[in-house]
Amino acid sequence: AQSVTQLDSQVPVFEEAPVELRCNYSSSVSVYLFWYVQYPNQGLQLLLKYLSGSTLVKGINGFEAEFNKSQTSFHLRKPSVHISDTAEYFCAVSRGGKLIFGQGTELSVKP
Amino acid sequence: DGGITQSPKYLFRKEGQNVTLSCEQNLNHDAMYWYRQDPGQGLRLIYYSQIVNDFQKGDIAEGYSVSREKKESFPLTVTSAQKNPTAFYLCASSPRDGGLSYEQYFGPGTRLTVT
């Protein structure tokens, strides 16, 4: 069975600092991985996805993620965050036409 | 302007009443999904449909029902049998490629409050 673990429930960071949101998955087969962002009282928006190919994936808003098969990880990074990046971030893995989501990480960017 | 519409944004009901949440998409996607979101619990799948006139239970289907009579519509009914219906409900859709669905596109959500 596939599952997704987001290792931090909350990540506070100062504006312009780098950030990494951690995600580990468990799977015995090829995986498709996603990061979504959710702003308060809104739906989820796709940040980036890994289906195949290059293990470094670039997404919107300056975010990127690296697929690491040996460590079964798909961590999300941004070199310099803005106040507007404050939101909840979800990692997800595809399984049989469905997405399995992690519990979410609240990113709080402080001035 | 393609997308997913959920209405209303906020919904209030008395305990014991059934309520139907609307979800419409004009993306021509085959697959549609309903999720429930509670604080600190991520997203939990209620029902999903890969094709018109067919749907499957997700992880927390008890107390909910759906229909898929049209490709663009996937309404969710929260019945009085659902013990804790107050939550944020999200609808999503997904294109299918070779029979598999990958990324999902989400609507803005409906916040249901039952008192």
Side-chain angles (χ1 to χ4, degrees), chain B residues 23-78:
Chain B
C23 178
E24 304 277 333
Q25 55 100 357
N26 60 5
L27 300 168
N28 200 33
H29 289 170
D30 286 306
M32 296 188 74
Y33 309 80
W34 273 106
Y35 294 90
R36 172 184 172 133
Q37 186 176 24
D38 297 281
Q41 295 196 47
L43 277 73
R44 294 183 288 170
L45 182 64
I46 304 172
Y47 269 98
Y48 64 105
S49 168
Q50 300 279 21
I51 198 166
V52 175
N53 292 322
D54 189 36
F55 50 83
Q56 288 79 40
K57 293 181 179 180
D59 301 317
I60 55 164
E62 185 175 350
Y64 299 97
S65 65
V66 294
S67 62
R68 187 83 188 279
E69 297 175 2
K70 299 186 295 183
K71 187 175 184 178
E72 57 270 21
S73 179
F74 191 42
L76 173 75
T77 297
V78 184

Side-chain angles (χ1 to χ4, degrees), chain A residues 32-36 48-49 74 90-92 94 99, chain B residues 102-103:
Chain A
Y32 305 112
L33 294 156
F34 307 84
W35 274 101
Y36 283 86
L48 48 80
K49 61 186 176 185
F74 191 55
F90 291 94
C91 181
S94 178
L99 287 182
Chain B
Y102 298 116
E103 65 205 70

Side-chain angles (χ1 to χ4, degrees), chain A residues 32 34 36 38 41-44 46 49 51 88 90 94-99 101-103, chain B residues 9-10 33 35 37 40-43 45 48 50 88 90 101-104 106-108 111:
Chain A
Y32 305 112
F34 307 84
Y36 283 86
Q38 184 181 33
N41 289 312
Q42 294 186 27
L44 276 66
L46 182 67
K49 61 186 176 185
L51 300 183
E88 189 155 21
F90 291 94
S94 178
R95 180 191 74 184
K98 299 184 288 183
L99 287 182
F101 287 89
Q103 298 297 90
Chain B
K9 179 71 173 173
Y10 298 94
Y33 309 80
Y35 294 90
Q37 186 176 24
Q41 295 196 47
L43 277 73
L45 182 64
Y48 64 105
Q50 300 279 21
F88 190 50
L90 287 161
S101 302
Y102 298 116
E103 65 205 70
Q104 294 179 14
F106 284 80
R111 186 166 297 279

